[in-house]
């Protein structure tokens, strides 16, 4: 892409579901680099060092460094750095409203253009996510209805339309991720293509959200497609930051998450793909202590791999270990279902009974949640219909008013045309009468002229007059002789 203004890591950090604080800390390196900052350094040199400090720092220390970079960039009017760091710092405060509002205020001071719109839109999506997390169900419903109204009312600004739709998706996802949620998610996917290249963060955020949703709901092929798109964006981002000299930027953790999630959707993978993605997880785990623990100790990649290979005895062990480290209910539900399958295939009655008990309990909870979600969805669809009906009535009333206005204008125009026609008829009649009189006068004049000519020729000169025609023929000598 021509412009890559936002970090892909923002969306993954927000939605990936894995703690991003590495156990193998590089904080001492970050501290050593920060110690090289000296008074009198140019803003650019200071920012270059702080970028490396930011990349190396532990997660808990990134926020303070990010705000420092923003402060220098704002004072030196380094807008490109602001475009990068505003969304990044926003995602570091994904559970706090006040920093989001402060960042939005900073973004509003950027020069007008698509990049500014993209940044502001991204920050407002994050703010909506924070808001939704702390609102009561009734407050969340009221906000959702407000956002639905905004979504139904389309604007000329693609970023505003994207924001309206994304806020609906965020609030629906916080309440229930049923059919209505998927419908809006699919709409959001189509709208992604309308976002200009300056909005690089939006595809990454969307693909991560969508991949998690499709994975936990059994849409294996769609989930894998989302992760493949995400991996493409990661590759582009690696290339971009390598060219920027960001030698400490590392996306191994996020690639690992994609490959591990793709393995979890093994029913839609070929055997060769299963082997490929498992090998990639293993390779990435060797480079990072945290990933090594996830891979070798927690067995979160082994579990789906062994199920895909139908190595059920080993899968039982891997799934039991993985369940000890998974807290997300939707993921546990899928794992328990697979543990049932593996235990049944190996005739391991003890594990099968335990898995069935846990699975049935979760199934009851899920059915109850689905029933509540279905009621909520019906309520929301009713609200949408009400909003659409109110909008339709408003448009009809507006249309009627426009028609009435048009009718008045047409009536006035017809009256004006009629008056103009009457005036034209009067003028035409007067003109015709004038032409007729002029022709009569011309004829009378000709008759009078002919009569005079005839009298002069037939009767000669009239006493006391002379023929001017003859006078004009006389010479000057003749005239003097007469005198």
């Amino acid at each position: 892409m021509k412009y890559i203004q936002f970090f892909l890591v923002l969306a993954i950090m927000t939605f990936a579901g894995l703690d991003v604080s590495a156990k193998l800390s590089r904080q001492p390196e970050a501290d050593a680099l920060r110690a090289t900052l000296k008074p009198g350094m140019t803003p650019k040199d200071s920012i270059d060092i702080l970028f490396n400090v930011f990349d190396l720092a532990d997660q808990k220390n990134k926020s303070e460094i990010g705000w420092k970079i923003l402060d220098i960039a704002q004072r030196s009017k380094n807008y490109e750095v602001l475009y990068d760091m505003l969304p990044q710092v926003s995602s570091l405060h994904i559970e706090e409203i006040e920093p989001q509002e402060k960042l939005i205020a900073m973004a509003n001071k950027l020069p007008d253009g698509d990049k500014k719109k993209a940044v502001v839109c991204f920050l407002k999506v994050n703010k909506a996510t924070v808001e939704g997390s702390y609102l009561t169900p009734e407050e969340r419903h009221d906000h959702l209805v407000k956002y639905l109204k905004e979504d139904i009312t389309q604007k000329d600004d693609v970023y505003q339309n994207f924001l309206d739709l994304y806020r609906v998706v965020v609030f629906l996802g916080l309440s229930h991720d049923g059919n209505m949620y998927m419908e809006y998610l699919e709409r959001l996917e189509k709208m992604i293509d309308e976002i200009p290249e300056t909005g690089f963060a939006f595809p990454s955020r969307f693909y991560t959200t969508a991949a998690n949703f499709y994975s936990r709901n059994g849409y294996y092929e769609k989930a894998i497609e989302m992760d493949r798109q995400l991996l493409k964006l990661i590759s582009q981002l690696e290339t971009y930051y390598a060219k920027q000299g960001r030698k400490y930027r590392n996306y191994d953790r996020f690639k690992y998450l994609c490959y591990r999630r793709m393995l979890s959707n093994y029913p839609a993978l070929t055997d060769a793909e299963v082997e490929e993605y498992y090998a990639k997880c293993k390779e990435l785990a060797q480079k990072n202590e945290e990933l090594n623990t996830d891979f070798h100790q927690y067995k979160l990649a082994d579990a789906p791999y062994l199920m895909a290979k139908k190595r059920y005895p080993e899968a039982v062990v891997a799934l039991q270990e993985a369940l000890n480290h998974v807290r997300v209910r939707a993921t546990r539900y899928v794992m328990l279902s697979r543990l049932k399958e593996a235990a049944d295939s190996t005739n391991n009655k003890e594990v099968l009974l335990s898995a069935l008990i846990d699975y049935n309990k979760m199934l009851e909870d899920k059915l109850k949640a689905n029933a509540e979600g279905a009621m909520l969805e019906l309520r929301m669809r009713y609200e949408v219909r009400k909003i659409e009906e109110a909008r339709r009535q408003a448009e009809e009333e507006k249309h009627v008013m426009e028609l009435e206005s048009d009718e008045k204008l047409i009536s006035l125009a017809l009256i004006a045309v009629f008056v103009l026609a009457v005036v034209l008829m009067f003028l035409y009649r007067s003109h015709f009468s004038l032409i007729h009189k002029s022709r009569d006068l011309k004829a009378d004049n000709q008759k009078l002229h002919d009569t005079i000519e005839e009298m002069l020729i037939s009767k000669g000169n009239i006493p006391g007059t002379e023929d001017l025609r003859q006078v004009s023929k006389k010479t000057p000598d003749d005239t003097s002789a007469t005198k």
Side-chain angles (χ1 to χ4, degrees), residues 180-437:
M180 189 174 184
Y181 178 82
M182 187 164 66
E183 291 171 15
Y184 277 86
L185 198 64
E186 289 175 344
R187 276 187 55 200
L188 196 63
E189 181 179 0
K190 294 177 181 177
M191 192 179 287
I192 286 292
D193 294 334
E194 300 178 20
I195 299 296
E197 291 179 345
T198 48
F200 186 73
F202 297 112
S204 63
R205 176 182 282 275
F206 167 77
Y207 291 134
T208 306
T209 304
N212 285 323
F213 168 77
Y214 290 128
S215 293
R216 66 178 176 258
N217 286 281
Y219 298 97
Y220 305 123
E221 292 181 356
K222 193 70 175 174
I224 291 169
E225 179 189 344
M226 297 297 100
D227 269 318
R228 283 176 177 153
Q229 293 296 329
L230 196 51
L231 285 167
K232 288 180 183 178
L233 294 177
I234 290 175
S235 177
Q236 293 170 358
L237 198 58
E238 285 181 318
T239 301
Y240 173 78
Y241 281 109
K243 291 179 179 178
Q244 301 300 311
R246 298 284 290 277
K247 57 184 178 181
Y248 297 113
R249 296 299 292 173
N250 186 288
Y251 298 95
D252 287 350
R253 182 179 294 106
F254 310 119
K255 289 188 286 186
Y256 176 87
L257 288 174
C258 287
Y259 291 126
R260 196 189 71 183
R261 185 165 47 222
M262 293 168 80
L263 272 178
S264 73
N265 292 292
Y266 64 83
L269 295 175
T270 64
D271 189 62
E273 288 172 334
V274 169
E275 292 290 350
E276 177 189 353
Y277 300 148
Y278 181 76
K280 288 183 181 296
C281 285
K282 187 175 183 179
E283 178 187 353
L284 291 166
Q286 293 173 351
K287 302 178 181 179
N288 180 285
E289 184 178 336
E290 180 190 10
L291 302 183
N292 191 281
T293 300
D294 183 275
F295 184 86
H296 290 289
Q297 183 177 327
Y298 298 166
K299 305 293 184 181
L300 290 171
D302 275 7
Y305 171 74
L306 294 169
M307 286 297 295
K309 304 299 289 185
K310 300 190 184 302
R311 292 161 54 179
Y312 295 120
E314 297 168 88
V316 168
V317 177
L319 284 164
Q320 286 179 306
E321 183 61 40
L323 281 163
N324 292 329
H325 305 283
V326 173
R327 297 291 175 264
V328 179
R329 291 183 61 82
T331 306
R332 290 184 61 82
Y333 180 78
V334 173
M335 285 186 172
L336 283 170
S337 175
R338 290 172 177 174
L339 182 58
K340 285 196 308 98
E341 179 188 345
D344 186 44
S345 299
T346 57
N347 201 29
N348 190 331
K349 298 186 183 301
E350 183 181 351
V351 173
L352 178 60
L353 178 60
S354 176
L356 279 170
I357 292 172
D358 291 341
Y359 180 81
N360 287 339
K361 177 64 171 67
M362 291 198 72
L363 180 59
E364 289 176 5
D365 294 342
K366 184 176 182 180
L367 290 173
K368 181 180 178 181
N370 286 344
E372 293 174 353
M375 291 299 296
L376 174 64
E377 188 168 313
L378 286 173
R379 182 182 179 188
M380 293 315 305
R381 290 188 185 278
Y382 174 70
E383 295 284 358
V384 171
R385 282 197 293 270
K386 278 174 51 179
I387 295 169
E388 289 177 339
E389 179 63 22
R391 182 169 174 262
R392 185 187 62 80
Q393 289 180 355
E395 288 180 347
E396 287 182 353
E397 290 174 0
K398 181 181 177 182
H399 184 61
V400 169
M401 291 178 64
E402 288 175 349
L403 286 176
E404 290 177 351
S405 177
D406 290 343
E407 287 175 357
K408 290 179 181 178
L409 288 174
I410 291 171
S411 298
L412 290 173
L414 289 174
I415 292 172
V417 169
F418 176 76
V419 172
L420 180 62
V422 171
V423 171
L424 287 173
M425 289 175 63
F426 175 77
L427 291 173
Y428 178 78
R429 184 173 179 181
S430 298
H431 180 67
F432 180 80
S433 176
L434 182 61
I435 291 174
H436 184 71
K437 287 181 179 179

